[in-house]
Structure formats: structure tokens, C-alpha cells
Amino acid sequence: MYKKNLENDIKSDTSGHFRKVLVSLLTATRPSGNLVDKTQARIDSEELLNAGTKKWGTDESKFVTILCTRSFSQLRAMFDEYEQLTGHSIEEDLKKECSGDLLKVFLSIVACVRDKQAHFASILLKSMKGLGTKESSLIRVIVGRCEIDLVQIRQKFEQISKKSLTEYIKGDTSGDFRRVLLILIGDEDAIKK
């Protein structure tokens, strides 16, 4: 369609460890499945500690390797081990060790691993909360997830915000844009009201 290679575009538009994360995620080297190796989870936790808070400077490549190549189940086990070792979440140490786009992508990975639907519900809420609407975030999540898990995201959204996604969309958008969003979230009845 665009006659371009996405990986090459990412490589030319980004740099450093942020580029490595994006390319790793794009090339889909993460295994699927629910098998968990508790010993490996402990080893990974210790390696991240040694690459981060236990040394001067941060070995970001170790974080890239572990966060981008382990299965979600394995990462969840590693997060638990990390918390047992440190007494706090991995997110706290990521905030101390990283910054900028690299921090944002690492925190997004962790949030998706912990609860993907809650992560996307949170993005939707942030896109509509307060003054103005961040339409690009709203569109990206709704269009990107509408045929995957938007029903579950809507449920998480309501748990987090105490209002339905329909109510937020009706309050923050108008016209054809509102109608299309309501159709995409599967609430066609809301258009008639």
C-alpha cells in the first residue's frame, strides 16, 4: 500500500535503545503460551536489578532483551519475582533508570503485560478527560482494538471511570465523528438516543 518497509522507516526515524525496542516488537520475537519458568523469572529479575539500580548507569539493552523477548506469562512471573526481591514494582525502578520515549515504551509494555485491556481503557480515558479531546489516541485505540478486545476494554473503562465509554464519547465528540466511534465500539443503539 505505501510501498515502504516499516522496519526501515522505524530505523531511519528513531535511534538508540528506543529503536531497538520498536524493531524488536515489530519483528515479533516474543514467544506465546503460558509456560512459566520460575527459575528464569528469578534470573531475569536479578539481571534487571544488576543492569539498573544496582549499578552506576543503566544497561538499557538488558531491559530491551528481557521486556521484548519473554512471553507475557513469563514477564508476569518476573514482575512478581522483581517485587519480592526489591519490595516495589518494576515500574518504580524503570522511572528511576529511564526517561523519555524509552521510559514510555517500557511502561507501556509492562502495562500491557499486566492488563492489556486496562492499559487501553486508561489511554481512552486520558484521551477524553479534561479540556479537549486527544482524537489521535481515541481513534488509534478504538480502530486498532475494535475487532480484537474492545468489548473487554469497554468493561475496564467503566470500572476505571465509573461511566460508560458511550457516555464519554457522547460528551466529548459530535457529528459524524461521534456516530462512527459509537458504531465502532458496538453501541449502535446509542446513535438513536
Side-chain angles (χ1 to χ4, degrees):
M1 180 172 170
Y2 294 103
K3 297 181 182 165
K4 289 186 171 187
N5 180 289
L6 181 57
E7 184 176 345
N8 289 340
D9 280 355
I10 287 172
K11 286 178 178 176
S12 69
D13 288 348
T14 60
S15 62
H17 294 289
F18 182 62
R19 174 193 300 165
K20 289 178 186 175
V21 171
L22 295 180
V23 171
S24 181
L25 294 174
L26 179 66
T27 56
T29 58
R30 185 184 307 282
S32 58
N34 293 322
L35 293 177
V36 172
D37 181 341
K38 290 281 193 184
T39 304
Q40 187 61 51
R42 182 69 165 205
I43 291 168
D44 287 347
S45 299
E46 291 170 353
E47 286 186 5
L48 289 183
L49 275 170
N50 291 330
T53 57
K54 285 190 173 181
K55 79 178 261 181
W56 183 256
T58 304
D59 180 1
E60 291 93 347
S61 62
K62 184 56 69 177
F63 285 85
V64 172
T65 299
I66 291 172
L67 292 175
C68 294
T69 64
R70 304 295 190 263
S71 71
F72 277 25
S73 298
Q74 187 67 35
L75 284 172
R76 280 190 285 275
M78 190 272 295
F79 298 158
D80 291 342
E81 286 290 330
Y82 194 93
E83 197 159 330
Q84 286 180 359
L85 285 171
T86 64
H88 57 268
S89 71
I90 191 167
E91 291 93 333
E92 288 182 47
D93 282 348
L94 286 171
K95 290 173 185 174
K96 292 176 191 171
E97 298 296 321
C98 303
S99 61
D101 290 333
L102 186 61
L103 173 62
K104 288 178 191 173
V105 76
F106 282 160
L107 292 176
S108 292
I109 291 169
V110 173
C112 280
V113 169
R114 288 194 188 279
D115 187 337
K116 191 179 295 181
Q117 287 79 27
H119 172 65
F120 287 115
S122 176
I123 292 171
L124 286 172
L125 183 59
K126 287 176 188 169
S127 75
M128 294 182 282
K129 201 164 188 167
L131 293 176
T133 302
K134 295 176 189 75
E135 291 178 359
S136 61
S137 295
L138 182 61
I139 293 166
R140 186 174 55 250
V141 172
I142 289 177
V143 171
R145 307 305 297 184
C146 68
E147 294 183 3
I148 300 169
D149 58 355
L150 195 55
V151 170
Q152 295 87 350
I153 292 169
R154 285 178 62 186
Q155 292 166 349
K156 287 286 183 180
F157 184 91
E158 195 162 342
Q159 288 173 5
I160 293 168
S161 71
K162 308 299 183 219
K163 283 175 65 176
S164 72
L165 183 55
T166 298
E167 290 175 84
Y168 262 91
I169 289 172
K170 282 184 161 187
D172 261 45
T173 62
S174 61
D176 290 337
F177 181 56
R178 174 194 291 167
R179 281 189 285 282
V180 169
L181 291 175
L182 292 173
I183 291 169
L184 287 173
I185 68 167
D187 203 342
E188 295 179 49
D189 293 337
I191 298 169
K192 299 169 190 154
K193 294 179 184 173

